[in-house]
């Protein structure tokens, strides 16, 4: 369950556009009005506002936000205002353009492929082709080395069945296949990639449960110590994003906040992309892992309009 709060009595798209235009006009920008309008509308409502703004003022709302806002606040608002498939396509492109592509950057692609619906992944791939004149698979192939390339291409190329269909015989058999691959340190073999990239989420959850029942440990725990540290980290991310995405995103937020400095890009991406999906679960998982509330952590590590916008997406009343 997400934390986005949409007003019970919703203004029309024209009224929202008028309020936004007033927020832009004159000396200075009314950031509070921007937060109140865009931070309290769901994806379809934001799309209508964006389309209507273009019709009314002959100007792109995204372009106007770029010219009026700055810093982390601007990045967060613009990321939120974009259509989700286009937003995620751009996030994937940015990750692949990084000169030093660590697991943190490639994790964006895992999140898109494993922590969203098959329909959303397909929409992201279509948006990617439209925006960049090549496929996401092509760019992964040219930008990422083996064995990570093999797994990532498989993940983004899949179209998983999205109904709850589980075969326990298959789950037991494939748990054994995964265990053997871990035992022999062959985690990049075709059978592992095939299982993780083609089975539906419910089937994979059953397979992970069988693995724990039959071999004593959660599969992500047994993967630790694999010779290729990057592949180990990527596989853990895949398993968490499939089995319990809230666990993965709670850790992303924790890593972005705890320690010296703040990784605003990761913090923004997580809250923006999950606010309509599962931030309630992420909030609970964050407390379980770090023994402090997610809201207090965000408030303590951010400030100003940026803080107010993130907290609005987390359901706070600013």
């Amino acid at each position: 369950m997400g934390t986005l709060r949409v007003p019970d009595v919703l203004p029309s798209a024209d009224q929202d556009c008028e309020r936004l235009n007033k927020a832009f006009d004159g000396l200075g920008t009314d950031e509070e009005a921007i937060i109140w309008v865009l931070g309290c509308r769901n994806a379809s409502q934001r799309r209508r506002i964006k389309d209507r703004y273009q019709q009314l003022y002959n100007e792109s709302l995204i372009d106007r936000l770029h010219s009026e806002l700055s810093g982390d606040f601007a990045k967060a608002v613009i990321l939120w205002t974009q259509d989700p498939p286009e937003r995620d396509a751009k996030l994937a492109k940015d990750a692949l353009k990084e000169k030093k592509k660590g697991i943190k950057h490639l994790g964006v692609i895992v999140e898109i492929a494993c922590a969203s619906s098959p329909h959303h992944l397909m929409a992201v791939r279509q948006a990617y082709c439209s925006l960049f004149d090549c496929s996401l698979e092509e760019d992964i192939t040219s930008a990422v080395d083996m064995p990570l390339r093999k797994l990532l291409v498989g993940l983004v190329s899949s179209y998983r069945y999205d109904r709850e269909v589980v075969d326990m015989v298959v789950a037991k058999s494939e748990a054994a296949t995964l265990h053997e691959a871990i035992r022999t340190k062959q985690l990049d073999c075709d059978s592992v990639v095939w299982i993780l990239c083609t089975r539906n989420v419910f089937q994979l959850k059953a397979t992970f449960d069988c693995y724990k029942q039959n071999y004593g440990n959660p599969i992500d725990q047994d993967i630790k110590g694999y010779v290729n540290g990057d592949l180990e980290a990527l596989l853990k991310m895949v398993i968490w994003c499939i089995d319990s995405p809230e666990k993965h995103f709670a850790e992303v937020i924790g890593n972005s906040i705890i320690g010296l400095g703040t990784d605003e890009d990761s913090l923004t991406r997580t809250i923006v992309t999950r606010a309509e999906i599962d931030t309630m679960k992420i909030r609970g998982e964050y407390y379980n892992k770090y023994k402090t509330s997610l809201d207090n952590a965000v408030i303590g590590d951010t400030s100003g309009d940026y803080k107010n916008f993130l907290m609005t997406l987390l359901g706070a009343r600013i």
Side-chain angles (χ1 to χ4, degrees), residues 47-244:
R47 188 178 304 114
R48 284 197 295 273
I49 292 169
K50 196 152 56 83
D51 292 345
R52 195 69 186 122
Y53 193 92
Q54 178 72 50
Q55 293 166 0
L56 289 170
Y57 302 107
N58 197 31
E59 180 182 27
S60 161
L61 177 57
I62 298 291
D63 289 347
R64 191 64 191 264
L65 291 168
H66 270 293
S67 68
E68 294 288 337
L69 309 179
S70 61
D72 295 314
F73 177 52
K75 288 181 183 178
V77 172
I78 290 166
L79 204 62
W80 175 250
T81 306
Q82 292 171 336
D83 286 342
E86 181 180 321
R87 172 202 71 204
D88 286 356
K90 290 178 178 178
L91 287 171
K93 184 69 170 180
D94 289 344
L96 292 170
K97 285 195 304 188
E98 290 284 341
K99 289 184 179 178
K100 294 182 179 179
K101 284 175 281 296
I103 290 302
K104 183 181 80 171
H105 301 112
L106 297 179
V108 175
I109 297 171
V110 174
E111 291 167 7
I112 294 166
C114 300
S116 59
S117 72
H119 308 292
H120 179 71
L121 173 58
M122 182 65 71
V124 172
R125 291 170 61 194
Q126 291 170 339
Y128 197 98
C129 289
S130 298
L131 289 167
F132 307 117
D133 293 325
C134 68
S135 71
L136 178 54
E137 297 92 324
E138 287 176 291
D139 274 355
I140 291 172
T141 300
S142 62
V144 181
D145 294 330
M146 293 290 280
L148 305 185
R149 176 201 306 162
K150 181 178 180 180
L151 178 59
L152 288 174
V153 169
L155 289 171
V156 302
S157 302
S158 71
Y159 187 79
R160 303 180 195 273
Y161 188 63
D162 64 349
R163 302 292 175 84
E164 190 169 353
V165 176
V166 174
D167 185 325
M168 293 309 298
V169 174
V170 170
K172 185 176 180 180
S173 170
E174 293 186 346
T177 299
L178 293 172
H179 182 260
E180 181 64 14
I182 293 169
R183 188 187 68 79
T184 58
K185 299 188 182 296
Q186 298 293 320
L187 283 174
D188 58 344
C189 69
D190 289 346
S191 57
V192 171
V193 173
W194 187 86
I195 290 168
L196 294 177
C197 296
T198 62
R199 292 301 189 194
N200 76 68
V201 168
F202 304 100
Q203 182 67 48
L204 284 169
K205 287 183 177 184
T207 298
F208 300 152
D209 286 344
C210 278
Y211 186 99
K212 184 177 180 181
Q213 290 168 10
N214 294 341
Y215 305 108
N217 293 323
I219 185 171
D220 58 290
Q221 186 174 320
D222 278 357
I223 286 171
K224 288 179 182 176
Y226 184 68
V227 288
N228 186 317
D230 284 346
L231 182 58
E232 172 195 322
L234 199 70
L235 282 166
K236 173 196 162 189
M237 210 175 287
V238 169
I239 290 164
W240 279 19
C241 282
I242 290 169
D243 196 36
S244 50

Side-chain angles (χ1 to χ4, degrees), residues 4-19:
L4 177 68
R5 288 178 181 267
V6 176
D8 293 331
V9 180
L10 191 68
S12 69
D14 281 21
Q15 290 172 315
D16 280 339
C17 289
E18 183 180 352
R19 181 155 189 183

